[in-house]
Amino acid sequence: MKVIDHLKDAKRTLFSIEILPPLKGKSIQSIFDGIDPLLEFQPSFIDVTYHREEYVYKKREGGYLEKVSIRKRPGTVGICAAIMNRYKIDAVPHIICGGFSKEETENALIDLQFLGIDNVLALRGDSIKTEPGFVPDPDGHHYALDLVQHIDKMNNGIYLEDDVKDMAPTNFCIGIAGYPEKHMEAPNMASDIKFLKMKVDAGAEYIVTQMFFDNKKYFEFVDLCRKNGINVPIIPGLKILTGKKQLTGLPKIFHIDLPEELYENVEKAKDDKEAKEVGIDWCIRQSKELIAKGVPCLHFYTMGLSDSTRRVAKEVF
Ligand code: FAD
């Protein structure tokens, strides 16, 4: 079932999660162990992130360094198929532009359709750590907008080989990312919203937000979207703060602000265990307010740690 249909049919705020593939060489059991404790809250869909290649330097005989491309967390598509097969829960693979030619993207989407996966979250992807900015594949998509347009064409039976007739239309529900605190590269909020609207106009049916810890930022973002003619559901993405280091780590990685009250309470915590309690309590408060305001779904970035998500879900669902 498509995410958009889950949202349309919902009589209450839905529960969904995002998980990461395990590190290469680890078993898929870690994925199941992360999902099982959350099944009682009936996740409507489960997103699985995509991780592109990284470059590392390996020391070789004679002391010279070889630049090697590695993918630390492969397996997104396989995990999605396994989730659908094992739990009968809709899986949403994240599809990124980076590292893919247009043809590879198209072939990956065909694989997804053949597996019965009819949801995707279309993203540009982050830049490789060793590169100063995002560099698309020479024959790949530059922006998530281009990817959305590509998928929308396939949904209308138009593939890259335009001389082949009678192509079967795909049937993807397309989700996209939105940033209540602005995407880090956007010169200002207005331009970010302009491109967000272009993605929606190109066929995206819902938005999932970057994590935020101040609900006000989410409500203001939704208002701004509505004023700019973006009328699709906007699903809040929530991360539970679980350790003291995240006070600096989360703003650095995700370009978000932490509210003063949260910062002070985590600072005061004597160790990570206490900091985690503060984070769980904060997320319960955030979730309750979001539900009271009638948000369509709460989407939890579990990062594979289900116990804190379980504690929040128990309080709010
Ligand atoms: P875009 O929508 O392409 O936007 C990127 C930047 O370019 C923005 O500043 C935007 O304002 C600007 N822009 C957009 N279109 C245009 C245009 N046509 N012309 C000029 N400027 C434009 N990353 C991963 O690698 N794997 C994942 O699984 C993953 N999952 C994510 C899930 C969510 C919910 C979120 C919020 C992010 C996720 N990311 C993931 C991170 C994401 O890939 C990065 O934030 C990336 O830098 C931007 O992706 P985007 O799809 O928002 O890009």
Side-chain angles (χ1 to χ4, degrees), residues 228-284:
N228 282 277
I230 298 172
N231 294 312
V232 296
I234 301 177
I235 299 175
L238 294 174
K239 156 96 180 89
I240 305 164
L241 192 145
T242 52
K244 296 193 91 164
K245 278 196 187 136
Q246 291 178 349
L247 280 184
T248 48
L250 294 175
K252 188 172 167 204
I253 299 171
F254 298 104
H255 304 268
I256 51 156
D257 273 356
L258 298 181
E260 189 59 23
E261 186 190 340
L262 176 63
Y263 166 76
E264 276 177 4
N265 290 342
V266 175
E267 266 278 289
K268 268 189 245 152
K270 66 173 188 299
D271 53 21
D272 276 347
K273 199 163 165 260
E274 229 178 81
K276 183 173 161 183
E277 292 305 311
V278 174
I280 289 173
D281 182 57
W282 187 270
C283 192
I284 291 170

Side-chain angles (χ1 to χ4, degrees), residues 14 20 37 48 66 81 109 139 142 161 177 205 212 226 230 237 252 259 262 273 275 290 294 312:
L14 302 178
L20 277 73
V48 185
E66 188 187 359
L109 288 160
D139 188 31
H142 200 131
E161 286 86 10
E205 292 180 84
F212 57 89
R226 302 303 181 228
I230 298 172
K252 188 172 167 204
L262 176 63
K273 199 163 165 260
L290 290 164
V312 173

Side-chain angles (χ1 to χ4, degrees), residues 18-19 47-52 76 93-97 121-127 134 142-146 176-180 182-189 191-196 198-199 207-211 235 237 254 299 301:
E18 178 183 294
I19 59 171
D47 277 51
V48 185
T49 55
Y50 190 93
H51 300 260
R52 67 176 297 186
T76 301
H94 291 190
I95 301 291
I96 61 170
C97 305
L121 195 79
L123 301 146
R124 188 195 69 179
D126 279 324
S127 41
F134 178 77
H142 200 131
Y143 293 107
L145 172 64
D146 309 319
I176 49 169
Y179 302 83
K182 188 180 88 54
H183 183 257
M184 59 176 163
E185 294 163 30
N188 55 46
M189 197 56 156
S191 82
D192 215 19
I193 294 283
K194 179 179 84 179
F195 292 121
L196 186 64
M198 284 168 77
K199 290 193 281 188
I207 297 166
V208 183
T209 75
Q210 180 59 281
M211 65 182 72
I235 299 175
F254 298 104
H299 186 70
Y301 297 115

